[in-house]
Amino acid sequence: MAEQRASVELCKGVNGLDKVVLKEVRGSSAEVYLYGAQVMSWKNDHGEELLFVSSKAIFKPPKAIRGGIPICFPQFGSHGSLEQHGFARNKVWSIDTDPPPFPTNSSNKAFVDLILKPTDDDYKIWPHWFEFRLRVALGPGGDLMLTSRIRNTDSKPFTFTFAYHTYFSVSDISEVRIEGLETLDYFDSLRDKERFTEQGDAITFESEVDKIYISTPTKIAVLDHEKKRTFVFRKDGLPDAVVWNPWDRKAKAMPDFGDDEYKHMLCVEAAAVEKPITLKPREEWKGRQELSAVPSSYCSGQLDPQRVLLG
């Protein structure tokens, strides 16, 4: 039998948009669109899709694509003067042919390096020169790693907020729980960004949620009871975690989102929002997230969170 090899292929996606397909030796895969440098698919070695993309997503620039992992830069949400979530997700990125060394395993061949530099028109909207480099890599076990490096190439400092707006595919939102954020403080975007402290022993869902948890651990677990699957979320340089589900009323109001699709998705986002990042000239910031999907075994309806979070 021929040996399977990791591969990287540039091809056409929906509406002829360029995408890079990463494949790992054991069968896991990821698809990254150059439009927005957006990961639009992440499949395990059984071919199961782990990310949510709306059936009504619009793949037509300059519209943002609903699903996958949009990149929010240089602004998260409406925390600033730019359009919602900034402009990085609405730009066509280039493949970076001369990337700096990344601290990922060099024997891992399934990765792509992308780069975004502002045009003169971008500079009018946000008057700062920068280089944004992104590496998307698939680990041998199917882990998905995103590493962002943002360098200030201007003569003056600039400040930004950031998030990896990850849409996870879940069986049923009412069967999902998040562990690792209990007892933490959060800002509730549904209540004028007022600050509260999380009370429950784990986060479960029965209505709309839009919260920014602050000073979060580097590991968070998203448990999908019905699929017996746990997403383990590791992050570095990103102190906050955003949790979002629009629920039924907001879902119906979004033209690029199916009315009932809120039941099958959950956004958990590694972010830097509460304390914006300031870069001096020639300074560089790095933010990384690593996602893995592991089978979860339940004992009396609950996985031992310490085993997942520390394991």
Side-chain angles (χ1 to χ4, degrees), residues 49-115:
E49 182 57 67
L50 303 171
L51 297 178
F52 166 86
V53 176
S54 173
S55 62
K56 295 192 169 179
I58 299 162
F59 286 78
K60 282 187 186 154
K63 176 77 182 158
I65 307 172
R66 176 75 66 192
I69 310 180
I71 288 172
C72 306
F73 171 85
Q75 174 184 302
F76 171 78
S78 52
H79 292 249
S81 58
L82 297 171
E83 62 184 302
Q84 173 90 352
H85 291 325
F87 52 71
R89 63 181 187 155
N90 307 87
K91 299 288 174 194
V92 177
W93 294 49
S94 307
I95 291 176
D96 188 358
T97 51
D98 186 25
F102 277 79
T104 50
N105 187 342
S106 57
S107 66
N108 168 16
K109 298 289 190 294
F111 63 83
V112 63
D113 290 301
L114 301 175
I115 186 166

Side-chain angles (χ1 to χ4, degrees), residues 35-54:
Y35 178 59
Q38 193 157 327
V39 178
M40 294 305 302
S41 172
W42 171 40
K43 291 180 179 171
N44 63 16
D45 50 11
H46 302 299
E48 294 172 300
E49 182 57 67
L50 303 171
L51 297 178
F52 166 86
V53 176
S54 173

Side-chain angles (χ1 to χ4, degrees), residues 16 18 39 43 46 58 64 68 88 112 174 218 221 232 240 280 296:
D18 286 326
V39 178
K43 291 180 179 171
H46 302 299
I58 299 162
V112 63
S174 62
T218 55
V232 183
D240 307 324
K280 293 178 191 142
S296 45

Side-chain angles (χ1 to χ4, degrees), residues 187-298:
F187 295 101
D188 194 334
S189 300
L190 304 178
R191 293 196 260 179
D192 293 327
K193 300 191 172 73
E194 216 181 309
R195 186 167 176 156
F196 299 93
T197 302
E198 188 60 59
Q199 301 299 333
D201 63 341
I203 295 158
T204 55
F205 300 91
E206 48 207 20
S207 61
E208 183 186 355
V209 62
D210 191 352
K211 296 175 178 177
I212 301 165
Y213 290 85
I214 57 176
S215 305
T216 59
T218 55
K219 279 191 188 179
I220 299 165
V222 180
L223 287 65
D224 188 337
H225 187 56
E226 206 169 286
K227 280 199 173 141
K228 294 192 167 45
R229 173 189 293 149
T230 297
F231 292 109
V232 183
F233 202 94
R234 296 177 188 82
K235 58 192 182 61
D236 193 33
L238 295 157
D240 307 324
V242 181
V243 177
W244 179 69
N245 183 294
W247 223 253
D248 53 347
R249 193 173 55 85
K250 279 227 172 102
K252 287 189 172 78
M254 291 191 281
D256 61 347
F257 196 92
D259 289 358
D260 290 323
E261 287 185 329
Y262 73 91
K263 294 174 183 172
H264 307 297
M265 57 72 67
L266 175 64
C267 285
V268 184
E269 312 168 31
V273 180
E274 188 215 1
K275 293 176 181 151
I277 292 146
T278 298
L279 286 182
K280 293 178 191 142
R282 294 183 301 285
E283 257 188 346
E284 184 178 85
W285 168 85
K286 192 169 86 184
R288 185 171 179 272
Q289 82 168 13
E290 181 177 336
L291 306 175
S292 45
V294 296
S296 45
S297 54
Y298 280 75

